[in-house]
Amino acid sequence: MNDDEVADYISYTSQEAAAILRRSTGTLANWRVSGKGPPFIRIGGPIMYPCKALHAWLATNVRSSTTEKPGSEHHARPREAVTD
């Protein structure tokens, strides 16, 4: 197994994922029920959030305006340089 394959198995706990997202573990639980949150796994034990999946989910939620829907093709416009 190479390093990339090992990285696929590294996961955050619910508490770690909540801290990264700056949300409560209760919010993550609500998102799991509604299907709105990041992908997770549970195999007979605690909920885990695969690191790669959590970061990919975050990337799909980047927006450049409040009217833009998550995952749209729009990207933030570069800021213009300020000249004096």
Side-chain angles (χ1 to χ4, degrees):
M1 187 177 292
N2 64 35
D3 288 345
D4 288 335
E5 291 171 326
V6 170
D8 289 339
Y9 293 99
I10 297 172
S11 299
Y12 296 118
T13 65
S14 290
Q15 292 80 8
E16 291 168 332
I20 290 165
L21 299 172
R22 295 184 182 194
R23 299 291 181 261
S24 70
T25 55
T27 295
L28 290 181
N30 290 336
W31 287 351
R32 287 193 301 272
V33 170
S34 65
K36 293 181 181 181
F40 65 93
I41 47 178
R42 181 176 197 172
I43 303 174
I47 301 288
M48 300 297 288
Y49 292 87
C51 297
K52 284 186 174 183
L54 181 69
H55 293 278
W57 180 81
L58 279 172
T60 65
N61 284 280
V62 173
R63 304 177 200 182
S64 60
S65 77
T66 57
T67 59
E68 189 177 321
K69 295 188 187 270
S72 69
E73 294 300 317
H74 297 91
H75 298 285
R77 286 174 253 152
R79 292 186 177 190
E80 294 181 20
V82 177
T83 58
D84 292 322

